Amino acid sequence: ILSAVVTTSRQVHVVIAEYILCIKRSHNGSSQNLGSGNMRKTAALMFILLLSAAILASVQATAIEGGALSNRTTEVGTGDETGEDVYIELLRGRDGDDGRDGDDGRDGDDGRDGQDGDDGRDGDDGRDGRDGIPGLPGRDGKDGEKGEAGEMGMKGETGETGEMGMKGEMGVAGSKGDPGVQGPPGPSSGGIYTRWGRTTCPTTLGTELVYSGRVVGSRVNEKGGGANYLCLPEEDPDYLSYQSGNQRWRGYLYGTEYETGASGPGPLSSVHNHDAPCAICHTPTRSSILMIPGRIRCPSSWTREYYGYLTSNAQPYTRTMFECYDKDSESVPGSAASTSSAVVYTVEASCNGIPCPPYHEGREITCVVCTK
């Protein structure tokens, strides 16, 4: 037995299996008690079995559990088992390692919605936005209450000498002085007026002609220029610095035509489309001058210089001054062609705001020039 144990591991295994099979058969075939010799043999066999098991564990690195051998020895065979069968059963050894994990199963159904979470903390303030478009100016606010007077400031520097003030009240009269030397004669007093539509002045009470000329003004359909008419001298104009040629940004003077006969015979229709003349007259002793529309007579104590018809530009055109043209107006010789430059029309009354009677709708208004 010892010789068999030390030969090879396989022979040891077979010997052990043969002894185990022998013991099984002994127990199964006879019910007699084992003698002392058999007891010693059995003890020796058990010793050999244990020793063989230890050798087998160290050589094969296989653990043989005692329960597996016990279970094998308690089984009752059919009598055909051999030591080789028992050896094969011993070689099965302990259970192997767990296998690898299987593949993941399919996803489960979505669960119920959970309860709402708590509100998160407030975020940081955003950066300032761009300036908006300036709004419309607001209405003026109410005047504030008057504030208290401030403290008197420091005295400023002396300013420049101001203009001479108004004449003070007359002082107490002094004693009469000696007569002085007689001075040169002073300018004559009197007044100046324009006689529209004539080249001469009336001979009333010493009225003098200063000069005669042509009536000029702004063109009938132009927005620029002046609203009044002028009496432009007929001869010898004086110039200072000038620029020849027509410049765009300038005012212009045009001769003035009578537009008094386009609607048929009427006041001043005999000079229709002719240019109007004028005269500047001086009254040496009468300085006050008055033109009265709607009258041909002057108030008492006033002197009538002339009378005639009130004129201006027509309604569709730009506005002009009202002037009084002599009832016997003349025209500039050779000016019969219409040029549509500056024009004058007679003026009619409208009962819109004017009392009718005594005035009448559509009648030409008269006028008178008086001096005093």
Side-chain angles (χ1 to χ4, degrees), residues 89-101:
E89 184 174 354
L90 291 175
L91 289 182
R92 289 189 305 177
R94 59 183 178 85
D95 295 336
D97 296 332
D98 294 337
R100 65 179 180 84
D101 295 338

Side-chain angles (χ1 to χ4, degrees), residues 218 220 222 225-229 312-321:
S218 298
V220 60
E222 290 181 355
N228 59 319
Y229 294 97
S312 72
N313 203 351
Q315 183 180 8
Y317 305 125
T318 56
R319 295 179 178 179
T320 62
M321 302 284 287

Side-chain angles (χ1 to χ4, degrees), residues 269-294:
S269 60
S270 61
V271 291
H272 176 63
N273 280 342
H274 288 252
D275 291 345
C278 54
I280 302 299
C281 304
H282 174 239
T283 57
T285 59
R286 300 179 299 280
S287 58
S288 298
I289 301 170
L290 174 66
M291 190 274 283
I292 304 175

Side-chain angles (χ1 to χ4, degrees), residues 206-228:
T207 301
E208 303 172 351
L209 175 67
V210 180
Y211 72 88
S212 62
R214 295 193 180 197
V215 180
V216 294
S218 298
R219 193 169 189 170
V220 60
N221 55 357
E222 290 181 355
K223 295 182 179 180
N228 59 319

Side-chain angles (χ1 to χ4, degrees), residues 11 25 36 51 63 84 91 114 123 128-129 154 166 175 178 183 193 206 217 219 262 274-275 280 290 303 324 326 360:
Q11 290 173 342
R25 288 174 178 172
S36 59
L51 180 60
E84 187 72 18
L91 289 182
D128 295 339
M154 298 178 62
M166 298 177 62
S175 58
D178 296 333
Y193 67 87
R219 193 169 189 170
H274 288 252
D275 291 345
I280 302 299
L290 174 66
T303 300
C324 184
D326 197 284
H360 296 273

